[in-house]
Amino acid sequence: WSSSGEMLATCSRDKSVWLWEAGYEDDDELEMECASVQSVHTQDVKHVTWHPSEAVLCSCSYDNSIRLFCEDAGGDDWSSFASLEAHESTVWACDFDSAGKRIASCSDDKAVRIWSCHGNVKGPWHCVCTISGEHQRAIYDIAWSKLGWLATACGDNAIRVFEEEHGNGATPDAPCFLLSTAQEQAHLQDVNSVAWHPKDDTLLASCSDDGTVRLWRFHLD
């Protein structure tokens, strides 16, 4: 769902992204109407996520790319206004930071990439940081907490949390993220998803191919 609750986005192995508009009839029954179908990806679309405050949608795909969508000026349709390409394999997931000015993405190439826009969210986006060498297998999910921590779910059964370093030469155009903690055997099989609690910023949920969901408490040193 979009932050306004008025739009729903879905994605599929048929390479498409569908945008649905929510409305209510006279009897208060919810009705969903297809507002747009986007077919800009060339392979399966694995994940979609909305901007935290604006009507901007982000999708990632088996075609190694990330796409950003917004409504056209006339309001009659949606279109892709940016294609973010730097990953070398499937992009499994992406997430906006709380301000909506940066996107974190994770991939089958075992890397996390941080993308930033300067000013307008519909302006140019650039990859400003790559986190590599910390994951042993594909990274299936990524979640950005409101406090700025990045959690990853990995095919090596581990959960990792990264913290942004301030100072030591780090700048908004060249941020640095350091591994804060790693739970090497968080699950018995691939970790598929991670999600921060919306109000308790230290509580993280994870799920896995081992059939379990686990809750973790993240403590700063």
Side-chain angles (χ1 to χ4, degrees):
W1 291 97
S2 64
S3 60
S4 67
E6 297 175 353
M7 299 292 296
L8 178 70
T10 60
C11 61
S12 171
R13 294 185 66 182
D14 67 5
K15 311 175 189 178
S16 70
V17 173
W18 288 53
L19 296 108
W20 305 83
E21 190 170 6
Y24 290 89
E25 297 184 346
D26 294 338
D27 57 1
D28 290 333
E29 182 178 349
L30 178 64
E31 183 179 87
M32 303 299 296
E33 180 179 354
C34 181
S36 182
V37 178
Q38 297 293 312
S39 300
V40 295
H41 285 290
T42 60
Q43 297 292 336
D44 305 3
V45 186
K46 297 300 185 183
H47 182 85
V48 286
T49 189
W50 287 95
H51 187 278
S53 59
E54 299 191 35
V56 170
L57 182 70
C58 183
S59 67
C60 45
S61 169
Y62 207 79
D63 65 10
N64 307 352
S65 75
I66 300 163
R67 290 279 189 159
L68 292 170
F69 304 88
C70 68
E71 194 171 25
D72 293 341
D76 296 330
D77 200 0
W78 287 64
S79 60
S80 172
F81 66 86
S83 179
L84 314 185
E85 301 178 15
H87 282 291
E88 298 175 359
S89 190
T90 301
V91 187
W92 287 104
C94 54
D95 197 22
F96 285 95
D97 69 0
S98 60
K101 297 297 186 182
R102 295 189 294 182
I103 296 170
S105 59
C106 61
S107 169
D108 214 63
D109 64 11
K110 308 175 190 176
V112 170
R113 291 187 179 269
I114 308 297
W115 309 81
S116 178
C117 68
H118 297 284
N120 192 329
V121 67
K122 297 176 185 177
W125 286 78
H126 304 283
C127 180
V128 294
C129 177
T130 301
I131 304 171
S132 59
E134 300 288 357
H135 302 82
Q136 305 306 311
R137 294 184 63 188
I139 312 166
Y140 292 120
D141 197 18
I142 192 161
W144 214 325
S145 80
K146 292 180 180 178
L147 295 180
W149 300 324
L150 275 175
T152 60
C154 188
D156 61 11
N157 307 352
I159 294 169
R160 295 172 177 84
V161 177
F162 296 85
E163 190 173 2
E164 186 169 4
E165 183 181 36
H166 298 282
N168 295 324
T171 68
D173 290 330
C176 179
F177 287 80
L178 301 177
L179 181 65
S180 180
T181 187
Q183 190 70 33
E184 296 296 345
Q185 288 299 318
H187 288 273
L188 299 178
Q189 297 182 46
D190 295 2
V191 187
N192 295 313
S193 183
V194 285
W196 292 100
H197 191 282
K199 294 185 178 180
D200 186 343
D201 295 311
T202 66
L203 189 60
L204 182 72
S206 64
C207 64
S208 165
D209 278 352
D210 66 12
T212 66
V213 174
R214 294 189 174 185
L215 299 179
W216 307 88
R217 181 70 69 182
F218 178 58
H219 296 284
L220 281 174
D221 295 334

